[in-house]
Amino acid sequence: MSENQAPSSWEPKIIAIVCNWCTYAGADLAGISRIQYPPNVRIIRVPCTGRINPFYVVKALQAGADGVLVSGCHPGECHYLTGNLSARRKFATLKRFLSYIGVEGDRTMFTWVSASEGERFSQVIKGVTEAVRALGPARKLVKQL
Amino acid sequence: MENVEKKLREEAKLLLAEKKIDVLVGYEAGTLPMTATPCFITAPEEADRLVWNAFCVQNLAKFVQDLISLHRESQQRVKPEARTRKVVGVVARGCTTRSLVIQLQERQFNRDDIFVIGVPCGGYVDKRKVAAQVAGQEIREASLAGDRLSVKTAGEAKTLSLGGILADNCLTCRFNNPVLSDLMIGSPASAMAPESEYAGVEAHEKLSPADRWDYFEKEMAKCIRCNACRQTCPSCYCRVCFAEQSQPQWVGVSEDETDTQVFQIMRLYHMVGRCVDCGSCVAVCPMGVDLRTFLKKLDKDAFELFGNRAGSSLEDLPPLSQFKEDDREDFIYDPQKAK
């Protein structure tokens, strides 16, 4: 078995850092509406995507996350008016930089899900889980304890 | 160069004598051949120590920020009526003035706290390139004449053309004339070759992700976490750096390779739109880590995505301190399109 081959029991671990006002409410709606999505995601709620230090993403990768998803309100719908617009600039450069050094692009994902988009939330989680599953377990940057 | 140096000393004397500045940050001759070290001139008679040549490497903006913040801190302990103001003069080439602009944009001090003596710059000598030319032998003597450098080692004497030994960042420098100055010395320097500034990054981008990761891993494996890059960087002025913060502890202090990688990723990432490519970090790195390949990528992205050239204009804000409604969104994941 080559090193990158995942053992059959392996399931991707995905950290989703989501904003309180849109995506978290969207996830809630998905739950209330009984929409199924893969259980691979661990959700961390933050006040706003603008509050997310890009370090959180790198740190999650180092702590062994196979993928990191950041999701907030659509541009123009931020609860704090412009938090997600600042965040967009940070994540655009962060994603490019991480793929430049060689971390697979699909390990870090950024998206917008509004409070009314329970269906979209489930699709995002499905899509991200599949993309990360295709990449296999994370080996780069992971701190071995 | 000679007359720039002479003029610089004269102006420095005048400025200090007239009390227009309290201290001048400049370069003096180092104790070893081919070196110049930063120095602080506080009296007119000391001004003759100043030098200006192709051995002046470090970005002096670091010291300007340091001096002013230390002074401000010391003034906290003084009665309000006895507080003094300190004006720091600085000998600044293009990249140093860009760093000063960044610090001004980030409100580290006021424009009238500094006095910028602008000098045109023809690039500085990369000591590693010289060492390669003399097979790593110790250089006993070195002298500059025009665009030629004569070096003497124990065994041989060699004359090198300056074009071949200038630092990489100088060869493709876009701002070799100061972008900000109170006083200009000398005539503007002739242009370098900025059109090829991203050639290295573009070549690196063409490699496969696995090769890029191998390169990153190999370079970061050299790093000994001495923090010299951070100490010399004019954009790294945080009172408490994330690398030393303990609550929360962002990055481990062990010799674990991922800790080093994460430290470097984050230090590099903090330079989005704030790196002026002065090459100080590369010059001071004792292990010769290739930081520039990564820093230049951030610079390229900041320009491609936001049209930003770090520190080029005092009116502009740093790219991550602002946003536009129509910023590019092509990196945003869309489950509809992904199918």
Side-chain angles (χ1 to χ4, degrees), chain A residues 51 53-56 58-59 61-62 69-70 74-76 81-104 106 108-112 119-129 131 139-145, chain B residues 200-202 204-205 209-210 212-214 216 242 249-254 256 258-259 261-266 268-270 272 293-295 297-298 300-302 304-306 318-336 338-339:
Chain A
R51 191 257 174 273
N53 187 333
F55 213 141
Y56 294 180
V58 179
K59 195 77 182 161
L61 291 172
Q62 193 195 10
L69 168 73
V70 171
H74 288 272
L81 305 179
T82 59
N84 54 359
L85 298 178
S86 315
R88 187 165 62 179
R89 285 201 160 194
K90 284 188 239 174
F91 298 138
T93 45
L94 181 70
K95 188 171 168 108
R96 279 186 173 213
F97 185 58
L98 287 177
S99 21
Y100 180 76
I101 64 168
V103 177
E104 300 87 345
D106 282 356
T108 48
M109 299 275 215
F110 303 97
T111 192
W112 316 124
E119 184 56 41
R120 182 180 157 102
F121 180 79
S122 111
Q123 282 170 7
V124 165
I125 300 300
K126 274 181 202 146
V128 170
T129 310
R139 307 265 178 219
K140 297 164 184 172
L141 280 183
V142 180
K143 189 170 185 175
Q144 305 294 337
L145 293 172
Chain B
V201 176
E202 277 155 11
H204 196 78
E205 279 169 346
R212 291 202 298 264
W213 177 257
D214 286 345
F216 179 74
F242 72 89
Q249 187 186 44
W250 289 108
V251 51
V253 289
S254 68
D256 186 282
T258 64
D259 280 339
Q261 288 162 359
V262 167
F263 164 72
Q264 287 289 0
I265 290 175
M266 287 325 289
L268 294 167
Y269 181 73
H270 282 163
V272 182
T293 300
F294 304 106
L295 286 167
K297 165 69 178 171
L298 294 168
K300 180 169 176 267
D301 282 353
E304 274 182 10
L305 295 169
F306 318 124
L320 294 193
S321 307
Q322 55 170 325
F323 53 81
K324 290 206 174 76
E325 269 172 36
D326 55 351
D327 278 334
R328 270 169 67 175
E329 275 219 321
D330 45 3
F331 70 101
I332 295 292
Y333 176 74
D334 186 344
Q336 248 72 45
K339 275 177 190 164

